[in-house]
Amino acid sequence: RIDVNCIRCCEDVEEETFNRPRLFQIVYCDNGKLRALYLQTESKQNRDEWMQSIRLLSERCSPEKMLRHYHTGAFIKKKWSCCRKTEKRYNCGCANTYISDRLDYELPSSGPKFSDSDSAKTTESVSSEKRTSTIKRKLSLQKMMNTLKLDSPSSKVLDTPP
């Protein structure tokens, strides 16, 4: 399991890294150490939906902890497949994350938190249509995070070689 508060980025992976299409990675903090989980989906649309949902949820839960840079490849044989750097540091990647520019300008210091009770909470100033969309998105994200326990038949976990 990956706690959404521990996710640091969700980004594409170069197809050449594992010679597989439609890959993405979730970089997360595990006991103070950054790790990557590589996943493959059945379709580009499925990958894009997963990435969008994970990004939205993680950026709202802990925007200040999101990485600004990431590696587009994997650390294989003591070097990154993307940039050939030999230091295994996820936070000094060779590419900008999707959120890197937004961190300085758009994200609030503490985004809204998701909880089971949030699904029903809304303000009167929010339109009914937007309120319905928000509730559906939250329920979808909660379902997606439950699925992220890797019970999903549409995603495969790829182990990185030693």
Side-chain angles (χ1 to χ4, degrees):
R1 286 187 178 189
I2 298 174
D3 181 345
V4 70
N5 292 308
C6 294
I7 294 175
R8 299 298 179 255
C9 75
C10 180
E11 299 293 336
D12 289 316
V13 176
E14 293 174 343
E15 189 173 313
E16 300 79 32
T17 302
F18 298 106
N19 292 320
R20 295 174 186 238
R22 303 171 312 278
L23 294 172
F24 71 99
Q25 63 181 305
I26 300 171
V27 176
Y28 63 100
C29 187
D30 180 33
N31 293 322
K33 185 174 182 180
L34 289 177
R35 300 185 185 276
L37 175 67
Y38 299 94
L39 298 121
Q40 180 181 29
T41 59
E42 293 178 352
S43 69
K44 183 182 181 316
Q45 179 182 354
N46 186 254
R47 183 198 64 192
D48 294 345
E49 288 172 359
W50 273 86
M51 287 177 58
Q52 180 182 6
S53 296
I54 293 168
R55 286 172 171 174
L56 177 66
L57 186 60
S58 59
E59 121 185 13
R60 288 188 177 195
C61 289
S62 54
E64 70 286 351
K65 295 179 182 177
M66 302 302 288
L67 294 178
R68 295 172 185 255
H69 301 92
Y70 79 106
H71 287 282
T72 58
F75 196 75
I76 302 171
K77 297 181 181 178
K78 299 184 181 185
K79 65 183 174 191
W80 288 99
S81 62
C82 46
C83 61
R84 307 291 186 234
K85 288 182 182 178
T86 57
E87 191 174 3
K88 188 176 182 178
R89 292 182 60 193
Y90 289 95
N91 59 343
C92 294
C94 55
N96 288 337
T97 59
Y98 84 102
I99 200 171
S100 63
D101 294 331
R102 294 179 56 215
L103 278 173
D104 291 330
Y105 304 108
E106 296 178 18
L107 290 177
S109 59
S110 61
K113 306 287 187 230
F114 285 95
S115 71
D116 292 337
S117 62
D118 282 345
S119 300
K121 292 180 183 176
T122 56
T123 61
E124 291 180 4
S125 64
V126 178
S127 71
S128 177
E129 183 178 315
K130 186 173 181 180
R131 184 172 37 237
T132 301
S133 173
T134 301
I135 291 170
K136 285 181 182 178
R137 185 179 317 119
K138 286 181 181 181
L139 292 174
S140 174
L141 289 171
Q142 288 171 353
K143 182 179 177 184
M144 183 274 310
M145 290 310 292
N146 288 335
T147 305
L148 193 56
K149 295 172 193 165
L150 304 178
D151 295 331
S152 172
S154 64
S155 298
K156 296 179 189 174
V157 178
L158 301 176
D159 292 325
T160 55

